[in-house]
Amino acid sequence: MSAEIKRNGLTHRFWETKPMDKLNQQEWEALCDGCGKCCLNKLEDDDGHVEMTRVACRLLDDQSCLCGNYKIRHNFVPDCIVLTPKTIADNLYWLPKTCGYRLVYEGRPLFDWHPLISGDPGSVHRAGVSVQGMTIPEFEVDEDDWEDHIIEEPL
């Protein structure tokens, strides 16, 4: 019997050995790096090209880069997408290039700054890949003006 190395109740490097559809809820949620980029409003043109804006969902906490009401977010943002192993393929086009879900789905390694690698949720911010301190709440910007706030993805 092999001994599993665990940290915070998670098996060490579980994402490298378990298929996505076999992850439990805690493992699935741990793939999120906490960058906040998925909570930025995006603009999509007629060709399907997606641009990221600094205009954030009304629930995004600009400092932690986490949802302020994650468990009940659909009460406030009914069209918030629930990403699951079954829905990820349909949502890759708008997921950030650095997204842990996207990387694992594509069979690529997580970055060194990912909290599952670094052991520190703040590493994503120190690496400069989160949207910490750079967003504008969506209720402060008219939707017609979102294109004035297009940004490049922080990599």
Side-chain angles (χ1 to χ4, degrees), residues 70-89:
Y70 186 71
K71 289 186 180 188
I72 58 169
R73 67 191 182 279
H74 289 104
N75 293 345
F76 305 100
V77 184
D79 58 346
C80 180
I81 294 172
V82 176
L83 198 61
T84 69
K86 291 179 182 173
T87 64
I88 191 167

Side-chain angles (χ1 to χ4, degrees), residues 125-153:
H125 307 303
R126 285 189 301 283
V129 295
S130 78
V131 297
Q132 186 179 53
M134 65 182 288
T135 67
I136 303 167
E138 65 188 357
F139 53 80
E140 291 183 11
V141 181
D142 188 271
E143 192 170 345
D144 292 336
D145 296 329
W146 286 4
E147 67 184 30
D148 297 336
H149 298 279
I150 291 173
I151 60 170
E152 293 293 319
E153 179 179 344

